[in-house]
Amino acid sequence: MTSFFGNILGGLLKFVFDFVSSIGTESDFFSYYGISIILTTILFRLLLLPISLQQSRSTKIMNELQPKIQEIQRKYKNDPQTQQAKLMQLYKENNYNPASGCLILLIQFPIILAFFNVLRDPVRFVFKDINVYNAINKGFLWIPNLEQPDPYIWGLPLFAALTTFLQSKLMSTNIESNPQTESTQRMMNIFLPIMIFWAARSFPSGISLYWVVGNLFQIVQQLVINRSLGKIKEETR
């Protein structure tokens, strides 16, 4: 399945590259390849936008229903059948499917992994010819070759870590949870950016560029979602 999506996304990247390379003159600082990665990442995120919005809505509803869920669990802790029936009734009343969150993640994961593989092996999925790939300019800003890791740790690795932290922070801002869950979330908000920073130091810069642009898109998207889904809290009361 990864190869299937990889060929599709590789074709998309090649289409964008051909389009970009047909316009104007290539800059020494902004290669067609680097610009194509940015534009393809944005297009890729736009394609996943309906799924992401549904996931955010599902998460928001689940968060708002937590007090009622916990109340039902306490009240019927010795009667599992009634507890399950009451929970299903609550979900139905609020138009919520408890399996939707997992299903959405299962849909997104192979697609994201496929795009990751496209940028790790652009000859196979995008250009099909190593001579063509070797001939293109792969520099971008201070990075001489997007096929290689960023030579500066303060560059894309740092941006990847910072944008990951901001994205994680935004996604957890409106989550009401118990102290233990909040403690776990805080640890994730710290360790995940560190892991991304460490990985980005050795990954091809093209992947790091994709990660940074994707995070920036997700941050803007989350800001909009946090405002647009404000009515859900009223609907679930």
Side-chain angles (χ1 to χ4, degrees), residues 8-172:
I8 293 176
L9 294 170
L12 176 62
L13 179 55
K14 184 60 166 60
F15 173 80
V16 173
F17 178 83
D18 290 342
F19 174 76
V20 171
S21 61
S22 67
I23 302 175
T25 304
E26 186 174 31
S27 167
D28 292 336
F29 295 99
F30 298 95
S31 67
Y32 291 148
Y33 185 52
I35 294 172
S36 298
I37 290 176
I38 293 174
L39 294 179
T40 304
T41 301
I42 295 172
L43 288 173
F44 173 63
R45 289 290 178 172
L46 286 172
L47 289 173
L48 290 179
L49 187 58
I51 298 176
S52 298
L53 290 175
Q54 182 59 36
Q55 182 181 5
S56 297
R57 185 179 186 279
S58 177
T59 301
K60 183 71 174 177
I61 293 177
M62 185 62 178
N63 176 50
E64 299 301 340
L65 291 178
Q66 274 301 311
K68 293 181 180 180
I69 292 173
Q70 293 172 1
E71 181 183 352
I72 291 173
Q73 290 173 337
R74 286 194 300 269
K75 187 174 181 179
Y76 300 101
K77 63 180 180 180
N78 297 322
D79 189 351
Q81 290 184 342
T82 303
Q83 180 187 116
Q84 187 64 26
K86 292 291 184 180
L87 287 174
M88 294 306 295
Q89 181 181 353
L90 177 66
Y91 296 150
K92 184 177 181 180
E93 290 173 352
N94 290 276
N95 194 27
Y96 173 72
N97 182 354
S100 61
C102 295
L103 180 60
I104 291 168
L105 286 176
L106 288 174
I107 293 173
Q108 287 191 80
F109 183 74
I111 300 176
I112 293 174
L113 182 61
F115 196 38
F116 184 86
N117 287 336
V118 166
L119 294 177
R120 290 190 67 178
D121 193 358
V123 175
R124 174 188 174 190
F125 291 106
V126 184
F127 296 96
K128 310 298 183 181
D129 187 335
I130 191 169
N131 294 319
V132 173
Y133 179 66
N134 288 336
I136 68 172
N137 175 17
K138 294 182 279 292
F140 193 76
L141 294 176
W142 64 87
I143 304 167
N145 190 340
L146 288 169
E147 189 179 18
Q148 302 298 324
D150 192 322
Y152 305 106
I153 62 172
W154 48 259
L156 285 178
L158 183 59
F159 282 119
L162 289 176
T163 54
T164 299
F165 174 79
L166 290 174
Q167 179 190 347
S168 180
K169 196 72 174 175
L170 272 175
M171 293 183 68
S172 61

Side-chain angles (χ1 to χ4, degrees), residues 201-236:
R201 292 175 68 243
S202 58
F203 282 168
S205 299
I207 293 178
S208 299
L209 180 61
Y210 150 72
W211 189 264
V212 170
V213 175
N215 279 347
L216 290 174
F217 184 96
Q218 188 72 27
I219 288 169
V220 174
Q221 174 185 307
Q222 196 63 45
L223 288 171
V224 174
I225 287 173
N226 287 347
R227 295 188 62 182
S228 63
L229 294 182
K231 296 181 180 181
I232 291 179
K233 187 170 184 178
E234 297 296 329
E235 296 172 356
T236 54

